[in-house]
Amino acid sequence: MAHPTYPPRNLRPMGVAAAVGLAFALTAPGVANDPLRQLLISRICIACDLSGVVLTRANLEDADLTNANLAGANLSQARLPRAQLTQADLSQATLQQTVLSGADLSGANLAGANLSQATLTGSQLRDVNATNVNLERAEARDSNWYGSDLSGSRLDGAVLNHASLSATDLTNTTLTNGQFFRADFIGAQLAGADFTGADLRQALMRDAQMAGANFTNADLRDANLRRTDLSTAQFCNTRMANGDINNEHCAELGLSPDRPAP
């Protein structure tokens, strides 16, 4: 059964003639059975099948794509600020340089997606499946990833200052040279995570699991590490919470205080 269509949300007020024109367009033959046309006309396509669709550079501001199937879609450089993407399937999707600021992706499937250089500032990403995702150089300040699975993902050079990553699974992620100033990692799984060169100043990391995590060249000044087991974590040229430099594992990492990691 075709999904009902509705007037677009949060768009500029339109005149009577424009509203009548939109209503006619949405009821025109074929639109109800063409989810792509429906989306482009109304910016609403709830539970639509848009798998594999190409929407590069599309303007989908405030779009409602709740429960939509966008698996394998190409949305690179598209604009989706404040979009509703809850429970959407974006697995293997291309979202490179896509603007998703203020969007709600709670419960979405992002497994294997490419979000490199995407903008996710202030976005909601609670309980997301983000395994093996490319988030390199993404801008995600103030984003909320509570309870999400980011295991095996790449966040190299990503900016997540003030982000909430509490109760997330970051097992075996690479976060090299990332910015996590005042980020919340409370209760996160960080086993095997690579924080080489990361800015973790004032980060909340209490109760986090850090077995085998690498903090070479990282800055942990004023971080909250209470009830955190650092016994198997690796340190070299690391600025610790109290400001001291920790070179405990330089030798086994093949590094020295005067030869920092690249």
Side-chain angles (χ1 to χ4, degrees), residues 231-249:
S231 59
T232 60
Q234 296 175 313
F235 303 98
C236 180
N237 297 301
T238 307
R239 182 78 66 176
M240 300 302 291
N242 62 1
D244 291 345
I245 297 293
N246 188 336
N247 291 315
E248 183 178 356
H249 301 98

PDB file of all heavy atoms in Angstrom, residues 231-249:
ATOM      1  N   SER A 231      45.686  -0.270  33.050  1.00  0.00           N
ATOM      2  CA  SER A 231      46.851  -1.135  33.272  1.00  0.00           C
ATOM      3  C   SER A 231      47.409  -1.714  31.976  1.00  0.00           C
ATOM      4  O   SER A 231      48.612  -2.000  31.889  1.00  0.00           O
ATOM      5  CB  SER A 231      46.486  -2.274  34.234  1.00  0.00           C
ATOM      6  OG  SER A 231      45.424  -3.052  33.702  1.00  0.00           O
ATOM      7  N   THR A 232      46.599  -1.917  30.966  1.00  0.00           N
ATOM      8  CA  THR A 232      47.094  -2.475  29.709  1.00  0.00           C
ATOM      9  C   THR A 232      47.055  -1.457  28.572  1.00  0.00           C
ATOM     10  O   THR A 232      47.304  -1.812  27.417  1.00  0.00           O
ATOM     11  CB  THR A 232      46.283  -3.725  29.305  1.00  0.00           C
ATOM     12  OG1 THR A 232      44.896  -3.366  29.150  1.00  0.00           O
ATOM     13  CG2 THR A 232      46.398  -4.812  30.358  1.00  0.00           C
ATOM     14  N   ALA A 233      46.720  -0.218  28.884  1.00  0.00           N
ATOM     15  CA  ALA A 233      46.757   0.837  27.863  1.00  0.00           C
ATOM     16  C   ALA A 233      48.209   1.214  27.578  1.00  0.00           C
ATOM     17  O   ALA A 233      49.113   0.962  28.388  1.00  0.00           O
ATOM     18  CB  ALA A 233      45.963   2.045  28.327  1.00  0.00           C
ATOM     19  N   GLN A 234      48.458   1.817  26.429  1.00  0.00           N
ATOM     20  CA  GLN A 234      49.816   2.142  26.005  1.00  0.00           C
ATOM     21  C   GLN A 234      50.017   3.659  25.983  1.00  0.00           C
ATOM     22  O   GLN A 234      49.181   4.400  25.455  1.00  0.00           O
ATOM     23  CB  GLN A 234      50.087   1.558  24.625  1.00  0.00           C
ATOM     24  CG  GLN A 234      50.033   0.034  24.598  1.00  0.00           C
ATOM     25  CD  GLN A 234      50.192  -0.527  23.198  1.00  0.00           C
ATOM     26  OE1 GLN A 234      49.556  -0.064  22.266  1.00  0.00           O
ATOM     27  NE2 GLN A 234      51.058  -1.514  23.055  1.00  0.00           N
ATOM     28  N   PHE A 235      51.162   4.086  26.533  1.00  0.00           N
ATOM     29  CA  PHE A 235      51.460   5.509  26.634  1.00  0.00           C
ATOM     30  C   PHE A 235      52.871   5.789  26.136  1.00  0.00           C
ATOM     31  O   PHE A 235      53.824   5.104  26.504  1.00  0.00           O
ATOM     32  CB  PHE A 235      51.338   5.976  28.088  1.00  0.00           C
ATOM     33  CG  PHE A 235      49.992   5.710  28.700  1.00  0.00           C
ATOM     34  CD1 PHE A 235      49.785   4.597  29.505  1.00  0.00           C
ATOM     35  CD2 PHE A 235      48.923   6.568  28.465  1.00  0.00           C
ATOM     36  CE1 PHE A 235      48.545   4.346  30.070  1.00  0.00           C
ATOM     37  CE2 PHE A 235      47.685   6.329  29.028  1.00  0.00           C
ATOM     38  CZ  PHE A 235      47.489   5.216  29.833  1.00  0.00           C
ATOM     39  N   CYS A 236      52.997   6.817  25.326  1.00  0.00           N
ATOM     40  CA  CYS A 236      54.301   7.321  24.917  1.00  0.00           C
ATOM     41  C   CYS A 236      54.115   8.769  24.496  1.00  0.00           C
ATOM     42  O   CYS A 236      53.239   9.063  23.672  1.00  0.00           O
ATOM     43  CB  CYS A 236      54.878   6.493  23.758  1.00  0.00           C
ATOM     44  SG  CYS A 236      56.502   7.087  23.196  1.00  0.00           S
ATOM     45  N   ASN A 237      54.877   9.652  25.075  1.00  0.00           N
ATOM     46  CA  ASN A 237      54.713  11.084  24.831  1.00  0.00           C
ATOM     47  C   ASN A 237      53.275  11.524  25.132  1.00  0.00           C
ATOM     48  O   ASN A 237      52.726  12.397  24.455  1.00  0.00           O
ATOM     49  CB  ASN A 237      55.074  11.436  23.383  1.00  0.00           C
ATOM     50  CG  ASN A 237      56.518  11.146  23.048  1.00  0.00           C
ATOM     51  OD1 ASN A 237      57.433  11.685  23.677  1.00  0.00           O
ATOM     52  ND2 ASN A 237      56.739  10.266  22.078  1.00  0.00           N
ATOM     53  N   THR A 238      52.683  10.886  26.127  1.00  0.00           N
ATOM     54  CA  THR A 238      51.295  11.155  26.477  1.00  0.00           C
ATOM     55  C   THR A 238      51.221  12.172  27.603  1.00  0.00           C
ATOM     56  O   THR A 238      51.857  12.004  28.650  1.00  0.00           O
ATOM     57  CB  THR A 238      50.584   9.857  26.925  1.00  0.00           C
ATOM     58  OG1 THR A 238      50.755   8.858  25.918  1.00  0.00           O
ATOM     59  CG2 THR A 238      49.110  10.107  27.159  1.00  0.00           C
ATOM     60  N   ARG A 239      50.437  13.198  27.407  1.00  0.00           N
ATOM     61  CA  ARG A 239      50.195  14.181  28.470  1.00  0.00           C
ATOM     62  C   ARG A 239      49.050  13.656  29.320  1.00  0.00           C
ATOM     63  O   ARG A 239      47.908  13.577  28.867  1.00  0.00           O
ATOM     64  CB  ARG A 239      49.837  15.529  27.865  1.00  0.00           C
ATOM     65  CG  ARG A 239      49.614  16.641  28.888  1.00  0.00           C
ATOM     66  CD  ARG A 239      50.896  17.211  29.428  1.00  0.00           C
ATOM     67  NE  ARG A 239      51.668  17.922  28.408  1.00  0.00           N
ATOM     68  CZ  ARG A 239      52.790  18.580  28.659  1.00  0.00           C
ATOM     69  NH1 ARG A 239      53.280  18.622  29.894  1.00  0.00           N
ATOM     70  NH2 ARG A 239      53.443  19.187  27.686  1.00  0.00           N
ATOM     71  N   MET A 240      49.353  13.277  30.565  1.00  0.00           N
ATOM     72  CA  MET A 240      48.357  12.664  31.433  1.00  0.00           C
ATOM     73  C   MET A 240      47.437  13.703  32.063  1.00  0.00           C
ATOM     74  O   MET A 240      47.625  14.913  31.892  1.00  0.00           O
ATOM     75  CB  MET A 240      49.047  11.825  32.500  1.00  0.00           C
ATOM     76  CG  MET A 240      49.910  10.702  31.927  1.00  0.00           C
ATOM     77  SD  MET A 240      48.999   9.538  30.865  1.00  0.00           S
ATOM     78  CE  MET A 240      47.952   8.717  32.076  1.00  0.00           C
ATOM     79  N   ALA A 241      46.463  13.218  32.824  1.00  0.00           N
ATOM     80  CA  ALA A 241      45.454  14.108  33.403  1.00  0.00           C
ATOM     81  C   ALA A 241      46.069  15.166  34.301  1.00  0.00           C
ATOM     82  O   ALA A 241      45.583  16.303  34.356  1.00  0.00           O
ATOM     83  CB  ALA A 241      44.419  13.292  34.167  1.00  0.00           C
ATOM     84  N   ASN A 242      47.127  14.806  35.006  1.00  0.00           N
ATOM     85  CA  ASN A 242      47.773  15.763  35.918  1.00  0.00           C
ATOM     86  C   ASN A 242      48.813  16.634  35.234  1.00  0.00           C
ATOM     87  O   ASN A 242      49.509  17.419  35.880  1.00  0.00           O
ATOM     88  CB  ASN A 242      48.411  15.027  37.095  1.00  0.00           C
ATOM     89  CG  ASN A 242      49.505  14.071  36.659  1.00  0.00           C
ATOM     90  OD1 ASN A 242      49.807  13.960  35.473  1.00  0.00           O
ATOM     91  ND2 ASN A 242      50.091  13.371  37.614  1.00  0.00           N
ATOM     92  N   GLY A 243      48.953  16.488  33.917  1.00  0.00           N
ATOM     93  CA  GLY A 243      49.903  17.301  33.162  1.00  0.00           C
ATOM     94  C   GLY A 243      51.242  16.645  32.941  1.00  0.00           C
ATOM     95  O   GLY A 243      52.049  17.145  32.142  1.00  0.00           O
ATOM     96  N   ASP A 244      51.530  15.546  33.645  1.00  0.00           N
ATOM     97  CA  ASP A 244      52.806  14.863  33.482  1.00  0.00           C
ATOM     98  C   ASP A 244      52.866  14.127  32.139  1.00  0.00           C
ATOM     99  O   ASP A 244      51.842  13.730  31.581  1.00  0.00           O
ATOM    100  CB  ASP A 244      53.024  13.847  34.608  1.00  0.00           C
ATOM    101  CG  ASP A 244      53.242  14.510  35.960  1.00  0.00           C
ATOM    102  OD1 ASP A 244      53.501  15.730  35.984  1.00  0.00           O
ATOM    103  OD2 ASP A 244      53.124  13.806  36.984  1.00  0.00           O
ATOM    104  N   ILE A 245      54.111  13.921  31.662  1.00  0.00           N
ATOM    105  CA  ILE A 245      54.320  13.161  30.427  1.00  0.00           C
ATOM    106  C   ILE A 245      54.563  11.696  30.789  1.00  0.00           C
ATOM    107  O   ILE A 245      55.387  11.382  31.658  1.00  0.00           O
ATOM    108  CB  ILE A 245      55.524  13.696  29.633  1.00  0.00           C
ATOM    109  CG1 ILE A 245      55.267  15.144  29.197  1.00  0.00           C
ATOM    110  CG2 ILE A 245      55.804  12.822  28.410  1.00  0.00           C
ATOM    111  CD1 ILE A 245      54.161  15.297  28.191  1.00  0.00           C
ATOM    112  N   ASN A 246      53.862  10.791  30.126  1.00  0.00           N
ATOM    113  CA  ASN A 246      54.008   9.352  30.370  1.00  0.00           C
ATOM    114  C   ASN A 246      54.676   8.715  29.157  1.00  0.00           C
ATOM    115  O   ASN A 246      54.123   8.727  28.047  1.00  0.00           O
ATOM    116  CB  ASN A 246      52.624   8.732  30.608  1.00  0.00           C
ATOM    117  CG  ASN A 246      52.698   7.283  31.061  1.00  0.00           C
ATOM    118  OD1 ASN A 246      53.683   6.595  30.800  1.00  0.00           O
ATOM    119  ND2 ASN A 246      51.649   6.813  31.716  1.00  0.00           N
ATOM    120  N   ASN A 247      55.878   8.164  29.374  1.00  0.00           N
ATOM    121  CA  ASN A 247      56.629   7.490  28.313  1.00  0.00           C
ATOM    122  C   ASN A 247      56.791   6.001  28.596  1.00  0.00           C
ATOM    123  O   ASN A 247      57.738   5.361  28.111  1.00  0.00           O
ATOM    124  CB  ASN A 247      58.008   8.135  28.150  1.00  0.00           C
ATOM    125  CG  ASN A 247      57.923   9.534  27.575  1.00  0.00           C
ATOM    126  OD1 ASN A 247      57.197   9.769  26.612  1.00  0.00           O
ATOM    127  ND2 ASN A 247      58.662  10.475  28.156  1.00  0.00           N
ATOM    128  N   GLU A 248      55.873   5.440  29.339  1.00  0.00           N
ATOM    129  CA  GLU A 248      56.023   4.082  29.855  1.00  0.00           C
ATOM    130  C   GLU A 248      56.215   3.035  28.765  1.00  0.00           C
ATOM    131  O   GLU A 248      56.935   2.044  28.962  1.00  0.00           O
ATOM    132  CB  GLU A 248      54.796   3.735  30.708  1.00  0.00           C
ATOM    133  CG  GLU A 248      54.847   2.372  31.371  1.00  0.00           C
ATOM    134  CD  GLU A 248      53.618   2.109  32.233  1.00  0.00           C
ATOM    135  OE1 GLU A 248      52.768   3.017  32.364  1.00  0.00           O
ATOM    136  OE2 GLU A 248      53.518   0.986  32.764  1.00  0.00           O
ATOM    137  N   HIS A 249      55.579   3.203  27.607  1.00  0.00           N
ATOM    138  CA  HIS A 249      55.604   2.134  26.605  1.00  0.00           C
ATOM    139  C   HIS A 249      56.314   2.532  25.313  1.00  0.00           C
ATOM    140  O   HIS A 249      56.129   1.887  24.278  1.00  0.00           O
ATOM    141  CB  HIS A 249      54.170   1.687  26.294  1.00  0.00           C
ATOM    142  CG  HIS A 249      53.416   1.191  27.479  1.00  0.00           C
ATOM    143  ND1 HIS A 249      52.536   1.989  28.176  1.00  0.00           N
ATOM    144  CD2 HIS A 249      53.437  -0.005  28.121  1.00  0.00           C
ATOM    145  CE1 HIS A 249      52.033   1.299  29.181  1.00  0.00           C
ATOM    146  NE2 HIS A 249      52.565   0.096  29.181  1.00  0.00           N
TER     147      HIS A 249
END
